Amino acid sequence: MAEADSSDRIARARRLLAHADSVAVLTGAGISAESGVPTFRGSGGLWSRQRMEDVATPAGFARDPVKVWRFHNELRIELERIAPNAAHLALARLERAVLGRGGRFALATQNIDGLHQAAGSRGVLELHGSLTAVRCTGCDYREDVGFRPLGPRPTCPDCGKWLRPDVVWFGETLGPDVWAAAVRAARSCQVFLSVGTSALVYPAAGLIEIALSEGPGRGRRHLETSAGTIEVNLEPTPASGKVDVALHGRAGHILPQIVA
Ligand code: BV8
Ligand code: ZN
């Protein structure tokens, strides 16, 4: 992309965000990459080290819970020492600016690393759960245990059954309330911003399509209106050709430029 072109896109994205009364954001692993969190599908990504089927599905947990806990304990140790990066901080600033002018703001993340909250974002919709939370496989015990490793066989203090990470594995449904809130935001926002996601995992990636068909991208492709859809991602994704402004590069470099 020519430099002039990218500065033009940056300016268009800035204009959209600066005047928006309601903003909805979807983030994925790419927004945490510059904090040192490995993404899933990039080179060196988590899925190149472990098979998704073994460590992020109910069947994998049933087959070998010790392996799943080894994977999650390693992730917990890695995540304990990471900090939010400029992209997370820019989104927290954007939220304060939109709320400060009486607007509405929603941030739905696919990430389980808690970095948006650490950056000061409020009301984060954790679509895929949180790595700091565990729940029991046999009763309704649930606890936020932070990032400390939990040993190879964490069991429930109430009923003695296996504990599991309180995350959404493949084949599991998302929390109905958090999903409904994310859909409402994608439908009603004036500007939809997708950051650091390969837009491959559903239903989360479907939020982009909802924004395009029922939200700000509905029916219009020109930008005279103050509504629109923006993508910030290192590489092109299936959404890149459909959004109004596609910005390819590092979120930590681009977001601070488009958030006033
Ligand atoms: C469900 C939690 C069913 C655990 C995760 C076939 C076709 C379509 C769909 C399916 C299918 N087969 C199965 C499905 C459904 C499946 C799915 O979508 N599979 C995909 C892989 C095809 N979905 C599910 O199973 C969901 N549940 O459908 O339930 C159901 C329905 C009704 C009733 C009962 C059951 C559950 C999905 C949730 C799974 N859990 N994680 C954990 O985290 O360990 S998903 C996992 O992928 C993470 O949450 C991650 O966030 C998410 C998405 O990945 P991304 O975040 O996008 O990360 P990725 O690495 O892919 O991309 C990073 C991007 O960042 C890249 O593009 C890269 O270029 C960019 N980047 C890198 N660095 C930077 C950057 N960008 C900017 N700056 C940088 N510096
Ligand atoms: Zn229990």
Side-chain angles (χ1 to χ4, degrees), residues 34-257:
E34 290 158 83
S35 295
V37 181
T39 59
F40 288 85
R41 296 168 183 83
S43 59
L46 280 175
W47 302 133
S48 55
R49 286 190 233 159
Q50 300 274 354
R51 281 170 14 98
M52 186 159 59
E53 295 72 15
D54 293 343
V55 295
T57 62
F61 186 71
R63 197 169 40 246
D64 187 347
V66 173
K67 179 174 201 169
V68 173
W69 272 110
R70 192 177 318 117
F71 171 73
H72 275 282
N73 280 327
E74 277 168 20
L75 208 50
R76 305 165 83 76
I77 290 169
E78 280 194 56
L79 293 190
E80 179 151 36
R81 60 169 186 274
I82 55 156
N85 65 59
H88 297 104
L89 295 168
L91 288 185
R93 234 183 9 262
L94 176 64
E95 177 182 35
R96 286 192 293 274
V98 173
L99 295 179
R101 54 180 184 245
R104 278 176 298 119
F105 186 91
L107 168 55
T109 185
Q110 299 170 84
N111 303 338
I112 60 173
D113 56 29
L115 287 177
H116 286 300
Q117 296 90 322
S121 290
R122 288 171 302 167
V124 177
L125 300 170
E126 291 184 310
L127 300 177
H128 294 163
S130 160
L131 194 64
T132 60
V134 295
R135 62 182 161 90
C136 180
T137 55
C139 74
D140 57 9
Y141 169 83
R142 184 188 183 285
E143 193 192 346
D144 199 310
V145 292
F147 286 111
R148 63 180 164 80
L150 290 172
R153 290 178 168 73
T155 50
C156 175
D158 294 351
C159 75
K161 291 273 178 66
W162 276 98
L163 292 179
R164 58 164 280 177
D166 193 16
V167 300
V168 179
W169 281 328
F170 287 99
E172 295 187 319
T173 51
L174 279 59
D177 300 345
V178 78
W179 176 242
V183 170
R184 262 197 314 276
R187 282 204 174 115
S188 63
C189 67
Q190 249 183 330
V191 176
F192 184 87
L193 171 61
S194 174
V195 184
T197 182
S198 56
L200 293 175
V201 172
Y202 284 80
L207 291 171
I208 304 170
E209 285 149 26
I210 289 171
L212 287 167
S213 58
E214 305 170 41
R218 180 180 50 250
R220 56 181 155 235
R221 298 291 301 150
H222 49 280
L223 280 185
E224 282 64 44
T225 63
S226 62
T229 48
I230 305 166
E231 179 191 51
V232 174
N233 201 62
L234 194 63
E235 302 147 334
T237 73
S240 302
K242 303 174 192 165
V243 296
D244 295 306
V245 188
L247 292 160
H248 293 146
R250 289 183 300 106
H253 175 66
I254 292 175
L255 278 190
Q257 295 182 61

